[in-house]
């Protein structure tokens, strides 16, 4: 079974600082996709960033970037210049090709941004 | 605007009653999914469907049922066999192939009294 592990249930960061959220995954598949989703208090799931496993280059979306270490099966999210609006639950997820195509989520990290 | 609509947003039911949560999408997506969210548990997959008239069990299908008679619709029934149905339910969809990202509805909060 594919699993996604987020080892930090809660994190906090000062406004304008940088924070890194950790994620590891376990798969024997060679073709897969990795995602970070944000869930603010409204509970709407919002895609933050996406990484294709076959691409070596780390994905970047404005202040959000990932550190994708394929051999280590690690996929951390870095948030730079943190803003109050970044406070949310963050979920790491993986999507596997072949067989059952479905998104598997970690348990989430609650991020608090302190002014 | 294209999107996913879940209804109702809040639902209260007595123990032992079946309840159906609606999920409709106008994104022309092939695949649809139901997830359950509990505090500290992340999102757990209940059922998913990659094509009309076909669906597969996810990790926690017991006590739930679904149907996929139309591409746009994927209703979830929470039956009386579900031991702990109080939760937040999220419906999602995506297009086969492409970017694989899931698009989510706003969720339905079910409380069983």
């Amino acid at each position: 079974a594919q699993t996604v592990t987020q080892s930090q249930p809660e994190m906090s960061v000062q406004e304008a600082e940088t924070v890194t959220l950790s994620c590891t995954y376990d798969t024997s598949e060679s073709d897969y996709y990795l995602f970070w989703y944000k869930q603010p208090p409204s509970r709407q799931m919002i895609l933050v960033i996406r990484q294709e496993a076959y691409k070596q280059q780390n994905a970047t979306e404005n202040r959000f970037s990932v550190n994708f270490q394929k051999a280590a099966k690690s996929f951390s999210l870095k948030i730079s210049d943190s803003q109050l609006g970044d406070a949310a639950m963050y979920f790491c997820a993986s999507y596997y090709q072949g067989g059952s195509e479905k998104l598997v989520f970690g348990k989430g990290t609650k991020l608090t941004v302190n002014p | 605007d294209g999107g996913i609509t879940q209804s109702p947003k809040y639902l209260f039911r007595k123990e032992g009653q079946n309840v159906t949560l609606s999920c409709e999408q106008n994104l022309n997506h092939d695949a649809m999914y139901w997830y359950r969210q509990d505090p500290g548990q992340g999102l757990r997959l209940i059922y998913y469907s990659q094509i009309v008239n076909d669906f597969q069990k996810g990790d926690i299908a017991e006590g739930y049922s679904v149907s996929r008679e139309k591409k746009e619709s994927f209703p979830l029934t929470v039956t009386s066999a579900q031991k702990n149905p109080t939760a937040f339910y999220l419906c999602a969809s995506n297009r086969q192939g492409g970017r694989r990202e899931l698009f989510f509805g706003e969720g339905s909060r079910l409380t069983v009294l």
Side-chain angles (χ1 to χ4, degrees):
Chain A
Q2 293 92 358
T3 58
V4 176
T5 302
Q6 294 179 247
S7 59
Q8 307 151 317
E10 296 188 25
M11 293 280 286
S12 64
V13 63
Q14 291 297 125
E15 198 175 359
E17 298 292 308
T18 296
V19 64
T20 299
L21 308 183
S22 301
C23 173
T24 58
Y25 59 95
D26 186 18
T27 180
S28 56
E29 302 284 341
S30 59
D31 190 10
Y32 54 92
Y33 301 78
L34 298 167
F35 303 87
W36 278 97
Y37 278 86
K38 169 185 177 180
Q39 188 182 43
S42 68
R43 305 199 80 169
Q44 176 70 56
M45 294 288 285
I46 301 165
L47 178 66
V48 175
I49 201 163
R50 170 183 175 273
Q51 175 80 42
E52 294 154 340
Y54 66 86
K55 287 189 177 178
Q56 293 185 344
Q57 186 173 5
N58 290 326
T60 301
E61 290 287 344
N62 300 315
R63 297 181 296 106
F64 299 88
S65 62
V66 298
N67 183 5
F68 175 45
Q69 302 289 326
K70 191 171 184 177
K73 296 181 181 177
S74 171
F75 183 61
S76 60
L77 174 70
K78 186 171 83 171
I79 306 174
S80 304
D81 185 24
S82 297
Q83 301 176 358
L84 295 177
D86 294 334
M89 285 291 293
Y90 285 82
F91 293 98
C92 179
S94 58
Y95 187 100
Y96 302 99
Q97 283 289 89
S100 58
E101 295 197 10
K102 57 185 181 180
L103 203 61
V104 176
F105 286 86
K107 293 187 176 183
T109 297
K110 182 179 179 181
L111 178 66
T112 301
V113 180
N114 300 309
Chain B
D1 286 337
I4 300 175
T5 302
Q6 288 186 241
S7 63
K9 196 164 185 175
Y10 299 96
L11 187 59
F12 296 87
R13 279 295 180 266
K14 291 184 179 178
E15 199 170 322
Q17 289 182 331
N18 290 356
V19 61
T20 297
L21 307 180
S22 171
C23 178
E24 304 276 333
Q25 55 98 359
N26 60 3
L27 299 166
N28 198 32
H29 284 170
D30 302 296
M32 298 187 73
Y33 306 79
W34 274 105
Y35 287 89
R36 170 178 172 144
Q37 186 177 14
D38 297 283
Q41 292 294 320
L43 277 69
R44 293 181 291 170
L45 184 63
I46 306 172
Y47 268 99
Y48 62 108
S49 168
Q50 293 175 322
I51 195 169
V52 173
N53 292 323
D54 189 37
F55 48 82
Q56 289 77 39
K57 292 182 179 180
D59 301 315
I60 56 165
E62 185 175 349
Y64 299 97
S65 66
V66 293
S67 63
R68 185 87 187 277
E69 297 176 2
K70 298 186 300 181
K71 187 175 185 179
E72 303 79 20
S73 178
F74 192 42
L76 173 74
T77 296
V78 185
T79 75
S80 56
Q82 169 49 234
K83 291 186 172 63
N84 185 18
T86 294
F88 186 66
Y89 292 88
L90 282 161
C91 179
S93 70
N94 73 346
R95 184 172 60 86
Q96 292 295 301
R99 291 171 53 86
R100 271 63 173 197
E101 67 186 271
L102 262 60
F103 294 80
F104 286 85
E106 293 184 336
S108 294
R109 172 69 185 178
L110 172 63
T111 302
V112 175
L113 306 172

